Amino acid sequence: MEVSLIEILKVIILGIIEGITEWLPISSTGHMLLVDEFIKMDVSDEFKEMFFVVIQLGAILAVVMLFWNKMWPFQFKNKEESYIKKDIFSMWFKVVVACIPGAIVTLLFDDYIEAHLHTPVVISIALVVYGIAFIVIENWNKKRTPKIETLADITYKTALIIGLFQVLSIIPGTSRSGATIIGALLIGVSRVAAAEFTFFLAVPVMLGLSLIKVIKFGLAFSAAELVILIVGVVVAFVVSVLVIKFLMSYIKKNDFKVFGVYRIILGIIVLLYFSLT
């Protein structure tokens, strides 16, 4: 089976949307739900379910490339001189601590969530509620000075609290980055440190989810399915690089309220569209 040009164009559009929405706290699920209504991929439901998760590998690769020096603890200058950055090792242990609550909840309730909560109403409510939360928290933060300015200042306790907030992202429409950033802002983490820790968290979380979906689907990909998957991952990677650079530059001078407003508008659009169709 050959992949048509139309099908490739659909995958490119989905890759662009994934690359944009995965890192901005605006819910990739909400966007994918809307786009899927208009761009129907000519694939099985099982493959599409897997594709929407595994395409995130492109986004992960973008993070790893851009933050390699902050993420890779082994440093080699030459054959005689090499060393380990203990602070990076420590950060990864904190990431593991932050991932534990989400991993437990996902393993216990992922199938139930997918079967019962992947609905337009749930997604719309989550979009609006967390949009309002961003606006309220950022207004509140105007009078506060962050207690945790940099990634290195994050403690194990802080990491665990952020991890508990990440559990909220299992609800469709919440946004994984949105939940972790809101949690971090509430406990006094600066915007830049919150975003960077979200990137760290994304690597094991999204790798784990992708692995689970691939195992569930099986490795018997057709040639067409493999092409679709590769194109989607590559496009998501390229777009993610641009979006991450934009986000890190943007939040140095601006707050997250604009994303809150956008979430509220999108939530209303999703609810109205699916109520009228």
Side-chain angles (χ1 to χ4, degrees):
M1 174 185 171
E2 293 185 359
V3 185
S4 68
L5 179 59
I6 294 298
E7 209 62 28
I8 292 294
L9 288 174
K10 292 178 184 177
V11 176
I12 289 173
I13 292 171
L14 290 169
I16 291 171
I17 292 169
E18 165 59 28
I20 294 172
T21 61
E22 189 59 51
W23 302 116
L24 301 182
I26 54 178
S27 175
S28 58
T29 305
H31 287 80
M32 288 296 191
L33 179 76
L34 268 179
V35 174
D36 189 45
E37 281 294 301
F38 301 100
I39 301 178
K40 298 291 185 181
M41 295 174 66
D42 187 20
V43 295
S44 67
D45 290 339
E46 293 76 16
F47 176 80
K48 184 165 68 173
E49 179 186 330
M50 181 273 297
F51 171 82
F52 280 162
V53 174
V54 178
I55 193 177
Q56 296 172 347
L57 288 175
I60 296 173
L61 290 174
V63 166
V64 172
M65 185 190 79
L66 292 173
F67 290 88
W68 179 257
N69 290 333
K70 289 188 175 184
M71 290 186 169
W72 186 247
F74 305 103
Q75 304 296 317
F76 302 97
K77 288 190 174 180
N78 50 55
K79 290 183 179 180
E80 290 76 29
E81 189 177 357
S82 61
Y83 59 95
I84 297 174
K85 287 190 172 182
K86 293 182 180 179
D87 57 330
I88 295 180
F89 252 121
S90 174
M91 181 55 61
W92 280 116
F93 284 127
K94 293 169 187 173
V95 168
V96 170
V97 169
C99 286
I100 290 172
I104 293 171
V105 173
T106 299
L107 289 171
L108 291 175
F109 301 107
D110 187 50
D111 289 339
Y112 177 85
I113 295 292
E114 284 197 5
H116 297 90
L117 296 185
H118 273 260
T119 66
V121 172
V122 171
I123 292 170
S124 300
I125 292 172
L127 283 166
V128 172
V129 168
Y130 286 93
I132 294 171
F134 266 117
I135 295 171
V136 171
I137 291 168
E138 284 289 24
N139 284 336
W140 179 51
N141 270 343
K142 283 182 178 179
K143 303 174 184 178
R144 302 167 70 215
T145 300
K147 294 182 289 185
I148 300 169
E149 290 282 0
T150 67
L151 200 60
D153 296 330
I154 292 176
T155 64
Y156 282 96
K157 179 182 177 181
T158 302
L160 179 59
I161 294 172
I162 294 174
L164 291 171
F165 273 94
Q166 185 177 237
V167 171
L168 298 172
S169 67
I170 196 172
I171 305 298
T174 299
S175 168
R176 182 194 51 76
S177 61
T180 52
I181 288 171
I182 280 177
L185 292 177
L186 274 173
I187 58 177
V189 180
S190 70
R191 295 186 192 96
V192 173
E196 288 185 347
F197 194 68
T198 295
F199 297 150
F200 266 81
L201 272 177
V203 175
V205 169
M206 292 160 69
L207 276 175
L209 287 173
S210 296
L211 182 62
I212 290 171
K213 292 297 183 183
V214 169
I215 292 173
K216 188 182 291 187
F217 179 79
L219 296 175
F221 294 104
S222 67
E225 289 172 337
L226 196 57
V227 169
I228 288 171
L229 203 55
I230 291 172
V231 171
V233 168
V234 170
V235 174
F237 166 77
V238 174
V239 176
S240 289
V241 169
L242 300 174
V243 170
I244 291 168
K245 287 182 177 181
F246 159 77
L247 180 64
M248 296 311 296
S249 174
Y250 178 85
I251 60 176
K252 288 177 181 177
K253 299 178 181 179
N254 303 278
D255 59 30
F256 285 102
K257 284 195 289 187
V258 65
F259 301 115
V261 173
Y262 178 83
R263 288 180 64 100
I264 293 169
I265 294 171
L266 179 64
I268 294 170
I269 290 172
V270 171
L271 189 59
L272 288 175
Y273 175 80
F274 286 98
S275 298
L276 298 173
T277 56

